[in-house]
Amino acid sequence: MATVLATVPETRTVAAVVAPLPTDTGYATALSRQGALAIAVTPAPPAGAHPAPRPPDGPYTATVLHTGDPQRTATRLRSLGVQAVVAGSAAGIALAEDLTHRLRLPGADPHTSLLRRDRGVQAHALAAAGIPAAAFLRTARLDEAVACADELRLPSYELAPAAADTPTAPVVCRGREDIHAAWAHLRHSAFVYCGDPHLVLALHVPGPHFLVNTLTRTDPATGPRHTVTDVWRETRTPDGRPDRTELMPRDHTLARVLSLRVLRTLDVLGITQGPATTRLAYSRRTGPVHLACLAVAHSTPADEALHAATGRHRFLDALDTVIRPRPALQPALVPTGHHIVRVHRHPTPEADDRLLRTLPHLPTVVRVTDHARTEGAATGEIVLSGPAPMVEADYHAIRTREAP
């Protein structure tokens, strides 16, 4: 059954946030700014699991514990006057879509939920639509993956959990020996994180990756309408570590090509409402290559810089797709055109001390995060924002201070 830990007034818009991360208050804060009430729907842990789920932080009016019966949870949300449901994390996508359907609210078909969060299922659907995707095999069997690699004889592969939200990074494999070596760790990580042991074997596309963030609204007369909000370019060091993630100009030719491809992809994946983040590579032979998509809003250390530079607020914008937008409490910001770079830190302990003494003197530094306090991140980040020449100068200064 579902239990609730508070009562909810009936005079304001009420929205449910499914499986919010305990430390991510994005939706709760945005709902409060919209004058709406936030209810957290927290899935109960499996029997015998310890500890019990911690109530999420933030201004949640109530917490509903979902213990496995979506109809009971939907009934409880209906009694609380819930008018919108959003996924607070990738773990909440399937349940959020199910609850949306049971509450008879606009949303995606819950029977196709895997299309919004599974790399292998996405690749199969996109291939049928003629859209290139890197993944070509979804399996829980090592012998099947090795046999497929032996048959194709590609120069290199990527092996990764099928669940697109699993934080374990894909592993580049040159052949069957590398697949054998990586298999057990990746399969264990996938199962521990989301209970799904399936992995995907994919073509390895070298070079940078790109993240395209979108919002989708559905018009009863015309259907879903997708909007690209921002495009980011990710690069890595020669040894495979994250280097920098930078906001691309909207008028950049490649950003426009990637955006057009993603608009087609969202239709195939059945995204009809809300936010999504699509990860792509780019091949000179085939153009954009789909890697993964997650139909959920995500928070990054650069969110405040993005808001200041463009006027876009990640979670307020996402809410505007599911609840009627309220008049802004403040005038909309005029985009500054600032360049934004997320610098991923890799210094030695000695160089880290030197770097931290330097950061206050770099004019474009707007945020510094430590890996111990960054959800799901392997390294800390330094967020730079400002005119592009100044950002680049500060980026090179950071890398110089990191050198042994």
Side-chain angles (χ1 to χ4, degrees):
M1 63 177 294
T3 59
V4 64
L5 306 181
T7 58
V8 177
E10 298 180 355
T11 56
R12 299 162 69 183
T13 300
V14 183
V17 183
V18 181
L21 296 172
T23 57
D24 189 348
T25 62
Y27 267 129
T29 302
L31 283 162
S32 179
R33 287 183 58 182
Q34 288 278 57
L37 299 176
I39 294 176
V41 178
T42 304
H50 184 79
R54 177 166 70 87
D57 299 332
Y60 286 97
T61 304
T63 298
V64 172
L65 184 65
H66 171 71
T67 56
D69 186 338
Q71 186 56 51
R72 289 190 178 185
T73 301
T75 298
R76 190 58 183 139
L77 295 181
R78 186 179 292 110
S79 72
L80 294 169
V82 166
Q83 299 152 285
V85 180
V86 295
S89 66
I93 291 174
L95 179 56
E97 293 181 354
D98 193 344
L99 294 173
T100 296
H101 178 71
R102 293 174 188 274
L103 292 171
R104 298 183 179 180
L105 299 171
D109 180 359
H111 295 98
T112 62
S113 181
L114 281 177
L115 281 173
R116 266 80 71 190
R117 54 193 176 94
D118 187 290
R119 305 174 205 256
V121 176
Q122 290 173 6
H124 179 76
L126 293 172
I131 298 176
F136 50 78
L137 176 68
R138 180 183 189 271
T139 182
R141 293 173 48 192
L142 173 59
D143 61 339
E144 190 174 14
V146 170
C148 183
D150 286 344
E151 180 181 353
L152 293 176
R153 296 186 180 276
L154 298 176
S156 57
Y157 309 86
E158 278 197 3
L159 191 64
D165 57 309
T166 306
T168 305
V171 175
V172 178
C173 301
R174 304 298 175 185
R176 60 162 45 220
E177 293 79 9
D178 290 349
I179 294 174
H180 273 281
W183 185 268
H185 169 68
L186 287 173
R187 194 170 186 271
H188 176 74
S189 297
F191 183 77
V192 168
Y193 188 76
C194 65
D196 185 350
H198 284 84
L199 304 183
V200 292
L201 191 63
L203 169 69
H204 172 58
V205 184
H209 287 179
F210 303 89
L211 297 176
V212 180
N213 291 305
T214 56
L215 294 171
T216 300
R217 296 173 175 83
T218 293
D219 185 306
T222 61
R225 179 169 58 88
H226 313 298
T227 302
V228 174
T229 58
D230 43 292
V231 182
W232 299 77
R233 182 178 188 265
E234 292 183 342
T235 55
R236 293 183 173 269
T237 62
D239 59 358
R241 295 180 299 173
D243 177 20
R244 55 188 276 169
T245 303
E246 59 190 296
L247 182 67
M248 296 181 68
R250 291 295 303 275
D251 58 355
H252 191 288
T253 300
L254 183 54
R256 295 171 64 183
V257 170
L258 296 169
S259 297
L260 290 173
R261 173 57 54 81
V262 167
L263 296 181
R264 288 184 58 202
T265 297
L266 299 181
D267 286 333
V268 175
L269 301 184
I271 294 176
T272 61
Q273 186 168 272
T277 297
T278 305
R279 179 180 291 272
L280 306 100
Y282 186 84
S283 165
R284 290 184 178 180
R285 184 173 64 86
T286 63
V289 179
H290 177 89
L291 301 178
C293 178
L294 278 175
V296 67
H298 69 285
S299 180
T300 78
D303 283 352
E304 291 181 10
L306 180 70
H307 184 210
T310 68
R312 287 204 169 275
H313 187 288
R314 184 77 67 204
F315 291 94
L316 281 172
D317 287 353
L319 285 174
D320 285 349
T321 67
V322 294
I323 62 177
R324 179 173 298 176
R326 294 174 60 87
L329 300 180
Q330 297 177 345
L333 294 177
V334 177
T336 63
H338 277 187
H339 191 45
I340 300 175
V341 173
R342 297 165 55 192
V343 184
H344 304 280
R345 296 163 56 190
H346 306 293
T348 63
E350 297 79 10
D352 200 31
D353 291 338
R354 184 167 63 246
L355 174 62
L356 292 176
R357 290 195 300 270
T358 301
L359 292 181
H361 304 288
L362 301 180
T364 67
V365 173
V366 295
R367 187 173 180 191
V368 180
T369 67
D370 182 79
H371 69 275
R373 300 192 300 271
T374 304
E375 188 73 31
T379 62
E381 289 187 15
I382 302 165
V383 180
L384 310 178
S385 180
M390 294 177 63
V391 167
E392 291 304 313
D394 287 355
Y395 167 77
H396 289 293
I398 290 168
R399 290 302 187 221
T400 299
R401 300 302 187 279
E402 286 183 336

PDB file of all heavy atoms in Angstrom, residues 302-312 333-338 340 385:
ATOM      1  N   ALA A 302      26.626  23.130 -13.619  1.00  0.00           N
ATOM      2  CA  ALA A 302      26.581  24.315 -14.477  1.00  0.00           C
ATOM      3  C   ALA A 302      25.178  24.892 -14.616  1.00  0.00           C
ATOM      4  O   ALA A 302      24.980  25.828 -15.404  1.00  0.00           O
ATOM      5  CB  ALA A 302      27.137  23.984 -15.858  1.00  0.00           C
ATOM      6  N   ASP A 303      24.187  24.373 -13.897  1.00  0.00           N
ATOM      7  CA  ASP A 303      22.810  24.848 -14.078  1.00  0.00           C
ATOM      8  C   ASP A 303      22.664  26.336 -13.790  1.00  0.00           C
ATOM      9  O   ASP A 303      21.970  27.058 -14.511  1.00  0.00           O
ATOM     10  CB  ASP A 303      21.856  24.046 -13.189  1.00  0.00           C
ATOM     11  CG  ASP A 303      21.553  22.671 -13.754  1.00  0.00           C
ATOM     12  OD1 ASP A 303      21.958  22.406 -14.900  1.00  0.00           O
ATOM     13  OD2 ASP A 303      20.930  21.862 -13.043  1.00  0.00           O
ATOM     14  N   GLU A 304      23.287  26.817 -12.706  1.00  0.00           N
ATOM     15  CA  GLU A 304      23.161  28.235 -12.382  1.00  0.00           C
ATOM     16  C   GLU A 304      23.834  29.096 -13.443  1.00  0.00           C
ATOM     17  O   GLU A 304      23.330  30.170 -13.800  1.00  0.00           O
ATOM     18  CB  GLU A 304      23.762  28.508 -11.005  1.00  0.00           C
ATOM     19  CG  GLU A 304      22.965  27.894  -9.856  1.00  0.00           C
ATOM     20  CD  GLU A 304      23.574  28.207  -8.512  1.00  0.00           C
ATOM     21  OE1 GLU A 304      24.496  29.052  -8.454  1.00  0.00           O
ATOM     22  OE2 GLU A 304      23.138  27.613  -7.512  1.00  0.00           O
ATOM     23  N   ALA A 305      24.975  28.622 -13.947  1.00  0.00           N
ATOM     24  CA  ALA A 305      25.656  29.377 -15.009  1.00  0.00           C
ATOM     25  C   ALA A 305      24.811  29.402 -16.275  1.00  0.00           C
ATOM     26  O   ALA A 305      24.736  30.426 -16.967  1.00  0.00           O
ATOM     27  CB  ALA A 305      27.025  28.754 -15.296  1.00  0.00           C
ATOM     28  N   LEU A 306      24.156  28.275 -16.599  1.00  0.00           N
ATOM     29  CA  LEU A 306      23.280  28.234 -17.767  1.00  0.00           C
ATOM     30  C   LEU A 306      22.130  29.212 -17.611  1.00  0.00           C
ATOM     31  O   LEU A 306      21.762  29.929 -18.553  1.00  0.00           O
ATOM     32  CB  LEU A 306      22.759  26.811 -17.971  1.00  0.00           C
ATOM     33  CG  LEU A 306      21.828  26.613 -19.170  1.00  0.00           C
ATOM     34  CD1 LEU A 306      22.593  26.751 -20.478  1.00  0.00           C
ATOM     35  CD2 LEU A 306      21.145  25.245 -19.108  1.00  0.00           C
ATOM     36  N   HIS A 307      21.546  29.270 -16.417  1.00  0.00           N
ATOM     37  CA  HIS A 307      20.441  30.187 -16.156  1.00  0.00           C
ATOM     38  C   HIS A 307      20.902  31.634 -16.323  1.00  0.00           C
ATOM     39  O   HIS A 307      20.229  32.454 -16.968  1.00  0.00           O
ATOM     40  CB  HIS A 307      19.903  29.952 -14.747  1.00  0.00           C
ATOM     41  CG  HIS A 307      18.697  30.776 -14.422  1.00  0.00           C
ATOM     42  ND1 HIS A 307      18.407  31.206 -13.149  1.00  0.00           N
ATOM     43  CD2 HIS A 307      17.716  31.278 -15.215  1.00  0.00           C
ATOM     44  CE1 HIS A 307      17.294  31.918 -13.169  1.00  0.00           C
ATOM     45  NE2 HIS A 307      16.855  31.967 -14.407  1.00  0.00           N
ATOM     46  N   ALA A 308      22.066  31.949 -15.766  1.00  0.00           N
ATOM     47  CA  ALA A 308      22.565  33.320 -15.861  1.00  0.00           C
ATOM     48  C   ALA A 308      22.921  33.702 -17.290  1.00  0.00           C
ATOM     49  O   ALA A 308      22.741  34.850 -17.701  1.00  0.00           O
ATOM     50  CB  ALA A 308      23.783  33.486 -14.946  1.00  0.00           C
ATOM     51  N   ALA A 309      23.416  32.731 -18.063  1.00  0.00           N
ATOM     52  CA  ALA A 309      23.880  33.034 -19.417  1.00  0.00           C
ATOM     53  C   ALA A 309      22.764  33.042 -20.443  1.00  0.00           C
ATOM     54  O   ALA A 309      22.841  33.766 -21.440  1.00  0.00           O
ATOM     55  CB  ALA A 309      24.945  32.022 -19.834  1.00  0.00           C
ATOM     56  N   THR A 310      21.718  32.231 -20.229  1.00  0.00           N
ATOM     57  CA  THR A 310      20.687  32.061 -21.256  1.00  0.00           C
ATOM     58  C   THR A 310      19.280  32.394 -20.785  1.00  0.00           C
ATOM     59  O   THR A 310      18.373  32.510 -21.606  1.00  0.00           O
ATOM     60  CB  THR A 310      20.683  30.612 -21.775  1.00  0.00           C
ATOM     61  OG1 THR A 310      20.237  29.741 -20.728  1.00  0.00           O
ATOM     62  CG2 THR A 310      22.072  30.181 -22.235  1.00  0.00           C
ATOM     63  N   GLY A 311      19.072  32.490 -19.483  1.00  0.00           N
ATOM     64  CA  GLY A 311      17.732  32.700 -18.963  1.00  0.00           C
ATOM     65  C   GLY A 311      16.951  31.423 -18.781  1.00  0.00           C
ATOM     66  O   GLY A 311      15.818  31.447 -18.289  1.00  0.00           O
ATOM     67  N   ARG A 312      17.538  30.282 -19.150  1.00  0.00           N
ATOM     68  CA  ARG A 312      16.843  28.999 -19.022  1.00  0.00           C
ATOM     69  C   ARG A 312      17.081  28.395 -17.650  1.00  0.00           C
ATOM     70  O   ARG A 312      18.207  28.346 -17.167  1.00  0.00           O
ATOM     71  CB  ARG A 312      17.296  28.023 -20.096  1.00  0.00           C
ATOM     72  CG  ARG A 312      16.773  28.362 -21.484  1.00  0.00           C
ATOM     73  CD  ARG A 312      16.737  27.144 -22.384  1.00  0.00           C
ATOM     74  NE  ARG A 312      16.004  27.400 -23.609  1.00  0.00           N
ATOM     75  CZ  ARG A 312      14.693  27.300 -23.736  1.00  0.00           C
ATOM     76  NH1 ARG A 312      13.955  26.932 -22.704  1.00  0.00           N
ATOM     77  NH2 ARG A 312      14.105  27.542 -24.890  1.00  0.00           N
ATOM     78  N   LEU A 333      15.495  36.886 -17.991  1.00  0.00           N
ATOM     79  CA  LEU A 333      16.850  37.361 -18.229  1.00  0.00           C
ATOM     80  C   LEU A 333      17.136  37.432 -19.728  1.00  0.00           C
ATOM     81  O   LEU A 333      16.693  36.591 -20.499  1.00  0.00           O
ATOM     82  CB  LEU A 333      17.857  36.423 -17.557  1.00  0.00           C
ATOM     83  CG  LEU A 333      17.814  36.374 -16.030  1.00  0.00           C
ATOM     84  CD1 LEU A 333      18.823  35.357 -15.530  1.00  0.00           C
ATOM     85  CD2 LEU A 333      18.103  37.737 -15.432  1.00  0.00           C
ATOM     86  N   VAL A 334      17.869  38.425 -20.128  1.00  0.00           N
ATOM     87  CA  VAL A 334      18.305  38.543 -21.513  1.00  0.00           C
ATOM     88  C   VAL A 334      19.575  37.708 -21.670  1.00  0.00           C
ATOM     89  O   VAL A 334      20.520  37.868 -20.902  1.00  0.00           O
ATOM     90  CB  VAL A 334      18.590  40.013 -21.875  1.00  0.00           C
ATOM     91  CG1 VAL A 334      19.119  40.111 -23.301  1.00  0.00           C
ATOM     92  CG2 VAL A 334      17.330  40.847 -21.704  1.00  0.00           C
ATOM     93  N   PRO A 335      19.621  36.786 -22.622  1.00  0.00           N
ATOM     94  CA  PRO A 335      20.828  35.961 -22.785  1.00  0.00           C
ATOM     95  C   PRO A 335      22.085  36.811 -22.931  1.00  0.00           C
ATOM     96  O   PRO A 335      22.099  37.812 -23.658  1.00  0.00           O
ATOM     97  CB  PRO A 335      20.538  35.161 -24.055  1.00  0.00           C
ATOM     98  CG  PRO A 335      19.037  35.105 -24.126  1.00  0.00           C
ATOM     99  CD  PRO A 335      18.564  36.416 -23.568  1.00  0.00           C
ATOM    100  N   THR A 336      23.140  36.424 -22.242  1.00  0.00           N
ATOM    101  CA  THR A 336      24.390  37.175 -22.266  1.00  0.00           C
ATOM    102  C   THR A 336      25.321  36.718 -23.379  1.00  0.00           C
ATOM    103  O   THR A 336      26.269  37.428 -23.715  1.00  0.00           O
ATOM    104  CB  THR A 336      25.133  37.011 -20.932  1.00  0.00           C
ATOM    105  OG1 THR A 336      25.480  35.632 -20.771  1.00  0.00           O
ATOM    106  CG2 THR A 336      24.273  37.470 -19.764  1.00  0.00           C
ATOM    107  N   GLY A 337      25.088  35.515 -23.906  1.00  0.00           N
ATOM    108  CA  GLY A 337      26.008  34.963 -24.890  1.00  0.00           C
ATOM    109  C   GLY A 337      27.275  34.419 -24.282  1.00  0.00           C
ATOM    110  O   GLY A 337      28.225  34.087 -25.000  1.00  0.00           O
ATOM    111  N   HIS A 338      27.320  34.307 -22.962  1.00  0.00           N
ATOM    112  CA  HIS A 338      28.514  33.802 -22.297  1.00  0.00           C
ATOM    113  C   HIS A 338      28.805  32.357 -22.711  1.00  0.00           C
ATOM    114  O   HIS A 338      27.894  31.550 -22.912  1.00  0.00           O
ATOM    115  CB  HIS A 338      28.345  33.867 -20.774  1.00  0.00           C
ATOM    116  CG  HIS A 338      28.661  35.210 -20.219  1.00  0.00           C
ATOM    117  ND1 HIS A 338      28.723  35.466 -18.866  1.00  0.00           N
ATOM    118  CD2 HIS A 338      28.938  36.394 -20.827  1.00  0.00           C
ATOM    119  CE1 HIS A 338      29.014  36.736 -18.671  1.00  0.00           C
ATOM    120  NE2 HIS A 338      29.150  37.322 -19.841  1.00  0.00           N
ATOM    121  N   ILE A 340      30.228  28.727 -21.670  1.00  0.00           N
ATOM    122  CA  ILE A 340      30.253  27.953 -20.414  1.00  0.00           C
ATOM    123  C   ILE A 340      31.069  26.693 -20.648  1.00  0.00           C
ATOM    124  O   ILE A 340      30.837  25.965 -21.617  1.00  0.00           O
ATOM    125  CB  ILE A 340      28.837  27.578 -19.947  1.00  0.00           C
ATOM    126  CG1 ILE A 340      27.992  28.833 -19.712  1.00  0.00           C
ATOM    127  CG2 ILE A 340      28.897  26.744 -18.662  1.00  0.00           C
ATOM    128  CD1 ILE A 340      26.547  28.535 -19.376  1.00  0.00           C
ATOM    129  N   SER A 385      32.381  30.605 -16.802  1.00  0.00           N
ATOM    130  CA  SER A 385      31.357  31.275 -17.605  1.00  0.00           C
ATOM    131  C   SER A 385      31.792  32.709 -17.853  1.00  0.00           C
ATOM    132  O   SER A 385      32.197  33.420 -16.923  1.00  0.00           O
ATOM    133  CB  SER A 385      30.003  31.249 -16.897  1.00  0.00           C
ATOM    134  OG  SER A 385      29.018  31.905 -17.679  1.00  0.00           O
TER     135      SER A 385
END
